[in-house]
Amino acid sequence: MRFFLTLYLGLMLSAAAEHGFAERINGTLRKDYVKQSAAIRNLNLKPYWAEDGSSFIYRKEIKGGQRYIIVDAKTGEQKEAFDHKIMEEFFASQDKKMELHHMVFGEGYFEFRIKGDRETYQWDGEQVIKVDSPRKKQQEEQERMHRGPVSPDGKWRVDFREHNVVLVELEKGEKILTSDGKPDHYYAQVKWAPDSSRFAVMKVKAGQRRMVTVVESSPKDQLQPKVHSWRYDKPGDVIDTRAPWVFYVDGRDPLAPDLSLIENPFSLGKVWWRSDSKRLSYDYVERGYGKYYVLEADTEARSHRIAVREESDTYIFVGGNSYRYDVNDGEEYIWASERDGWNHLYLIDGKTGAVKNQITKGEWVVFDVERVDEDNRRILFIAGGMEKGKDPYYRKYYWINFDGTGLVELTPGDGTHELFLSPDDQVYLDKYSRYDMAPVYELRNLKSGSLIKEILRVDLEELKATGWQAPIAFTAKDRDGKFDVWGYVLLPKDFEPKKKYPVIENIYAGPHDQHVYKPFTVWRGAITDLAHRGFIMVRIDGKGTGKRCKEFSHFCYKNIVDAGFPDRIKWMKEAAKKYPQMDLERVGIYGGSAGGQNSTGALLFHGDFYKVAVSDCGCHDNRMDKIWWNEQWMDWPIGPHYAEQSNVTNASKLKGRLLLTVGEMDRNVDPASTYQLASALLKAGKEYELIVVPSADHGAGEQLYPRCRRVQFFEKWLGAPAPMSN
C-alpha cells in the first residue's frame, strides 16, 4: 500500500526534485494564452444605452488601443462618440487609464466612470468635467427612505423582543402580541400589507443547525492554527421550518397558518401581499422537492388554499426549471412545468388553479423567461431545441402570446445568443457565437426580430494564424439509441494525424444544468491547458444533466452515481471512429465539486475504460454535502441508495491512478468528504495521491501548483502521443 501526501503552501513550491516544474508548465501555457488572447478583439462588446433608447455606446477594441462608438438605434449608423485624443490626454494628465466602466446618457452629454475610480465624469461634447453623480444621490435618497419593519404609512413598527412580536404605535405606545416565543421556536421577518392594516411574520421552528468545523493550519495573521465553524445543513438533518402568521393592527386575533397545507416544508418562498391588502401569497416547496405550491391566504375571510399545484413522482427543479409570474395581481399565473415531459409555460387561472391553456408546446425546452408584457399579453422567453438538427442547448429568444399564438423568433443566427434590450423596448443588440465562430453583433427590431444592421463581426483569421483550433462539435446516440448526446472534441495544438493521443474528459455531471460551454471563447481553461500539452480533450453532456426533456434529465433521480457514464463511453467510442487518433486505451478524466465526485466514480465504477483521474473538492458522499443540492436529486428521507452510491463506501473498487485535491477551508463542499474518501482508500489498501491546499476554499485544484500537478499526473500515467500503428 502506498499513499502520497503533498502540502501546497500558497504559491511556494517544494524544493524537492520536482522544483520548478510548475513554472515550466505554466510558463509555456501562459505564453500560448497571451499570444492567442492578443490575436482577437471585441469578444465582450457591451452596449451602454441612452435613457430614451435612441442610441448606445460600445467600446471597440482596435490594434494598439480602443475607440468608443455611438450607434443610432433606428438606423444602426455608427460614429466615434467623442474626441478620443482630448479624452485620453485628460486622463493621462491624472495618471489614469481611459477605460470606461460605467456609463449613463443624459441630454447632450453622457456620464461615466473609469475602472478603479469612484469619481464620476461627463463629456459635454467638448471637454471632460468631474461631476456629482445624480444616480448616487438618488441611491442615497432611496436608502434614507427605506423603512425596514416600519409600516408603509409610517405609524407602526414591529419589534421582536425575547422571541415574541411587539407592535409599536410610534406616537402612542406598544403592545406585546405574542407570549409563546422561545429560543427554538420564535418569530422573525416582517412583511407589511400595503395599507398598513396588517402584517405577516414567520414563526420559525429551529432544527439541529449542523455546524462544520475545520482547522486552518497556516493562517496568514498568526503562527498557531485557527479553528473555524459555519452553519451547514446536510441531507437528512432536522432543518428549520417556517410558517406565516398574520397580525392585525386593530387587535383582531392573529390568523394562524393552515399547517395541513405545509406538512413537510423544505422552504417557504417570499411573502407577497396583494394590492387589496387582504390576500397573502407565498410558495411552498415540500422536502424532497416532490411538491411545489403557490399558497394563498385570504386574511379577511380567514381561509387558506392552494392556488397553483405542481407535483412530481421524481422531483421539481425549483429555482432551475421553475418559473412563476403573477398576472394582474394573481388573477392568472404564468407557470413553468415539465408535466408533459418538456419544460414549458402554462397560463393558470388564479382563482381555480386550472390550466387555461398551455402557452408553449413541443419537443423543446423553455430555459427562462426574459420579460412578460402584461399590456400586450405576450412573453419574451429563452428556449433550446426548437430547430431540429441544431444543438438543443443553443439559447434562442422568442416572443409568444399568452394564448400560445404569435410565436416570433428573434435570434435567427446559427449559434447561442445573448440579448441586450433597449430601455424603450424598441430594439436590441443580439450577440451570438459558436465554438468555431466568434461573436456577431446585430441590431434588431424587438417587435418583429427583423435586422436593422450588423454592428460588428469578429474576425478569426489572426487568431487562427497562431495555431488556435476550435473545438469540434460531435453528437452520438445515448446508451439506448434514443437521445442525441452532444459534446465536443478539442484536438491538441500541433495535432499530427498520424499519431495516437491520450484522451482526457473534463466532466461535470451535475443535474442542475448542461455543462458543455457553447459560446465562442479563445481559451477553455484547463481543457485548453491539457490540449496544448498533447492530449485530445472531450466534454460531454450525458443523460442526467439538465436543459433537456424530463426523461433525459430526470434519469439522475436517486441515481447520481450513473453520471451518464454509459453515454459518455459510447460517445467516445463513436468519436474515435471519426478521429482514430483518439487512443481509448489511455483515457483520463478530471473534474471539481460534483465533477470531483464524478471523476473518482469513473475509476470506481468504470475502471476498465478510464485509467487515470484527478478529482478536486469532490462531494464524494451525498450525505456529506449541502442539503439543498443533494436532496433535490437524491430525495428525502435518506434511503440506502445514498450509501450504495457513495465513493467512500465503494473505495475498495478503485482501479487506475487517482489524484485528489482539496482546500482545507472549503465552505462549499465539506472538505471532510475528501478526507473520508482518503481514509477509506487507505483502509482498502489502494494507492492514490492527495494534495491539501492550506487556507484554500472551494476550487483549490485550480491554483497554480495543483493545476500543474494535474498536468504532470496525466503526462506521467497516460504518456505522450505515439505513432499510429499500420
mmCIF file of all heavy atoms in Angstrom, residues 273-276 279 296 326-333 374:
data_model
loop_
_atom_site.group_PDB
_atom_site.id
_atom_site.type_symbol
_atom_site.label_atom_id
_atom_site.label_comp_id
_atom_site.label_asym_id
_atom_site.label_seq_id
_atom_site.Cartn_x
_atom_site.Cartn_y
_atom_site.Cartn_z
ATOM 1 N N TRP A 273 -47.926 40.371 -0.547
ATOM 2 C CA TRP A 273 -49.269 40.885 -0.303
ATOM 3 C C TRP A 273 -49.880 41.335 -1.624
ATOM 4 O O TRP A 273 -49.227 41.970 -2.449
ATOM 5 C CB TRP A 273 -49.234 42.080 0.656
ATOM 6 C CG TRP A 273 -49.083 41.707 2.095
ATOM 7 C CD1 TRP A 273 -47.935 41.751 2.825
ATOM 8 C CD2 TRP A 273 -50.111 41.249 2.973
ATOM 9 N NE1 TRP A 273 -48.176 41.340 4.112
ATOM 10 C CE2 TRP A 273 -49.510 41.030 4.233
ATOM 11 C CE3 TRP A 273 -51.481 40.994 2.821
ATOM 12 C CZ2 TRP A 273 -50.224 40.571 5.334
ATOM 13 C CZ3 TRP A 273 -52.195 40.546 3.918
ATOM 14 C CH2 TRP A 273 -51.574 40.337 5.151
ATOM 15 N N ARG A 274 -51.141 41.012 -1.815
ATOM 16 C CA ARG A 274 -51.863 41.541 -2.969
ATOM 17 C C ARG A 274 -52.197 43.011 -2.723
ATOM 18 O O ARG A 274 -52.170 43.500 -1.592
ATOM 19 C CB ARG A 274 -53.138 40.734 -3.216
ATOM 20 C CG ARG A 274 -52.916 39.256 -3.485
ATOM 21 C CD ARG A 274 -52.078 39.044 -4.712
ATOM 22 N NE ARG A 274 -51.951 37.627 -5.041
ATOM 23 C CZ ARG A 274 -51.050 37.137 -5.855
ATOM 24 N NH1 ARG A 274 -50.173 37.961 -6.434
ATOM 25 N NH2 ARG A 274 -50.993 35.850 -6.120
ATOM 26 N N SER A 275 -52.549 43.708 -3.794
ATOM 27 C CA SER A 275 -52.795 45.147 -3.698
ATOM 28 C C SER A 275 -53.992 45.479 -2.817
ATOM 29 O O SER A 275 -54.088 46.606 -2.294
ATOM 30 C CB SER A 275 -53.005 45.736 -5.094
ATOM 31 O OG SER A 275 -54.104 45.113 -5.745
ATOM 32 N N ASP A 276 -54.927 44.517 -2.607
ATOM 33 C CA ASP A 276 -56.090 44.785 -1.758
ATOM 34 C C ASP A 276 -55.766 44.679 -0.272
ATOM 35 O O ASP A 276 -56.634 44.926 0.580
ATOM 36 C CB ASP A 276 -57.249 43.852 -2.111
ATOM 37 C CG ASP A 276 -56.919 42.373 -1.890
ATOM 38 O OD1 ASP A 276 -55.855 42.062 -1.303
ATOM 39 O OD2 ASP A 276 -57.730 41.524 -2.320
ATOM 40 N N ARG A 279 -55.191 39.630 0.694
ATOM 41 C CA ARG A 279 -54.689 38.319 0.294
ATOM 42 C C ARG A 279 -53.164 38.273 0.381
ATOM 43 O O ARG A 279 -52.479 39.217 0.007
ATOM 44 C CB ARG A 279 -55.154 37.985 -1.125
ATOM 45 C CG ARG A 279 -56.658 37.786 -1.250
ATOM 46 C CD ARG A 279 -57.076 37.684 -2.706
ATOM 47 N NE ARG A 279 -56.814 38.930 -3.420
ATOM 48 C CZ ARG A 279 -56.361 38.988 -4.660
ATOM 49 N NH1 ARG A 279 -56.103 37.885 -5.332
ATOM 50 N NH2 ARG A 279 -56.161 40.165 -5.235
ATOM 51 N N GLU A 296 -52.223 30.672 -0.957
ATOM 52 C CA GLU A 296 -52.812 31.989 -0.756
ATOM 53 C C GLU A 296 -53.692 31.976 0.485
ATOM 54 O O GLU A 296 -54.497 31.055 0.674
ATOM 55 C CB GLU A 296 -53.634 32.413 -1.983
ATOM 56 C CG GLU A 296 -54.112 33.863 -1.897
ATOM 57 C CD GLU A 296 -54.704 34.352 -3.200
ATOM 58 O OE1 GLU A 296 -53.920 34.701 -4.107
ATOM 59 O OE2 GLU A 296 -55.943 34.368 -3.321
ATOM 60 N N ASP A 326 -46.980 36.414 -11.580
ATOM 61 C CA ASP A 326 -48.362 36.727 -11.222
ATOM 62 C C ASP A 326 -48.898 37.808 -12.154
ATOM 63 O O ASP A 326 -48.397 38.936 -12.158
ATOM 64 C CB ASP A 326 -48.441 37.221 -9.775
ATOM 65 C CG ASP A 326 -47.987 36.173 -8.778
ATOM 66 O OD1 ASP A 326 -47.360 35.181 -9.197
ATOM 67 O OD2 ASP A 326 -48.229 36.350 -7.577
ATOM 68 N N VAL A 327 -49.899 37.445 -12.927
ATOM 69 C CA VAL A 327 -50.515 38.376 -13.874
ATOM 70 C C VAL A 327 -51.674 39.093 -13.194
ATOM 71 O O VAL A 327 -52.539 38.456 -12.574
ATOM 72 C CB VAL A 327 -51.028 37.630 -15.121
ATOM 73 C CG1 VAL A 327 -51.678 38.601 -16.103
ATOM 74 C CG2 VAL A 327 -49.888 36.868 -15.797
ATOM 75 N N ASN A 328 -51.684 40.421 -13.299
ATOM 76 C CA ASN A 328 -52.786 41.228 -12.756
ATOM 77 C C ASN A 328 -53.100 40.856 -11.308
ATOM 78 O O ASN A 328 -54.231 40.524 -10.955
ATOM 79 C CB ASN A 328 -54.036 41.091 -13.626
ATOM 80 C CG ASN A 328 -55.070 42.167 -13.328
ATOM 81 O OD1 ASN A 328 -54.740 43.206 -12.766
ATOM 82 N ND2 ASN A 328 -56.309 41.903 -13.693
ATOM 83 N N ASP A 329 -52.043 40.920 -10.490
ATOM 84 C CA ASP A 329 -52.208 40.729 -9.051
ATOM 85 C C ASP A 329 -52.735 39.341 -8.696
ATOM 86 O O ASP A 329 -53.484 39.163 -7.738
ATOM 87 C CB ASP A 329 -53.146 41.801 -8.482
ATOM 88 C CG ASP A 329 -52.836 42.112 -7.019
ATOM 89 O OD1 ASP A 329 -51.690 41.869 -6.592
ATOM 90 O OD2 ASP A 329 -53.739 42.590 -6.320
ATOM 91 N N GLY A 330 -52.364 38.345 -9.490
ATOM 92 C CA GLY A 330 -52.729 36.971 -9.158
ATOM 93 C C GLY A 330 -54.005 36.463 -9.792
ATOM 94 O O GLY A 330 -54.438 35.354 -9.477
ATOM 95 N N GLU A 331 -54.613 37.226 -10.701
ATOM 96 C CA GLU A 331 -55.781 36.703 -11.409
ATOM 97 C C GLU A 331 -55.393 35.525 -12.291
ATOM 98 O O GLU A 331 -56.183 34.606 -12.517
ATOM 99 C CB GLU A 331 -56.436 37.794 -12.262
ATOM 100 C CG GLU A 331 -57.214 38.816 -11.460
ATOM 101 C CD GLU A 331 -58.049 39.717 -12.355
ATOM 102 O OE1 GLU A 331 -58.109 39.444 -13.581
ATOM 103 O OE2 GLU A 331 -58.636 40.679 -11.841
ATOM 104 N N GLU A 332 -54.155 35.575 -12.800
ATOM 105 C CA GLU A 332 -53.605 34.476 -13.585
ATOM 106 C C GLU A 332 -52.140 34.298 -13.192
ATOM 107 O O GLU A 332 -51.529 35.186 -12.611
ATOM 108 C CB GLU A 332 -53.691 34.771 -15.083
ATOM 109 C CG GLU A 332 -55.091 34.921 -15.636
ATOM 110 C CD GLU A 332 -55.079 35.431 -17.056
ATOM 111 O OE1 GLU A 332 -54.399 36.454 -17.315
ATOM 112 O OE2 GLU A 332 -55.736 34.806 -17.912
ATOM 113 N N TYR A 333 -51.610 33.133 -13.523
ATOM 114 C CA TYR A 333 -50.188 32.878 -13.318
ATOM 115 C C TYR A 333 -49.587 32.369 -14.623
ATOM 116 O O TYR A 333 -50.197 31.565 -15.331
ATOM 117 C CB TYR A 333 -49.952 31.801 -12.250
ATOM 118 C CG TYR A 333 -50.372 32.174 -10.856
ATOM 119 C CD1 TYR A 333 -51.658 31.913 -10.404
ATOM 120 C CD2 TYR A 333 -49.475 32.766 -9.970
ATOM 121 C CE1 TYR A 333 -52.054 32.238 -9.118
ATOM 122 C CE2 TYR A 333 -49.860 33.098 -8.676
ATOM 123 C CZ TYR A 333 -51.153 32.828 -8.256
ATOM 124 O OH TYR A 333 -51.535 33.151 -6.981
ATOM 125 N N GLU A 374 -47.508 42.417 -19.865
ATOM 126 C CA GLU A 374 -48.915 42.210 -19.488
ATOM 127 C C GLU A 374 -49.863 43.008 -20.377
ATOM 128 O O GLU A 374 -50.956 42.527 -20.708
ATOM 129 C CB GLU A 374 -49.132 42.595 -18.018
ATOM 130 C CG GLU A 374 -48.582 41.611 -17.021
ATOM 131 C CD GLU A 374 -49.135 41.829 -15.627
ATOM 132 O OE1 GLU A 374 -50.380 41.918 -15.474
ATOM 133 O OE2 GLU A 374 -48.332 41.936 -14.681
#
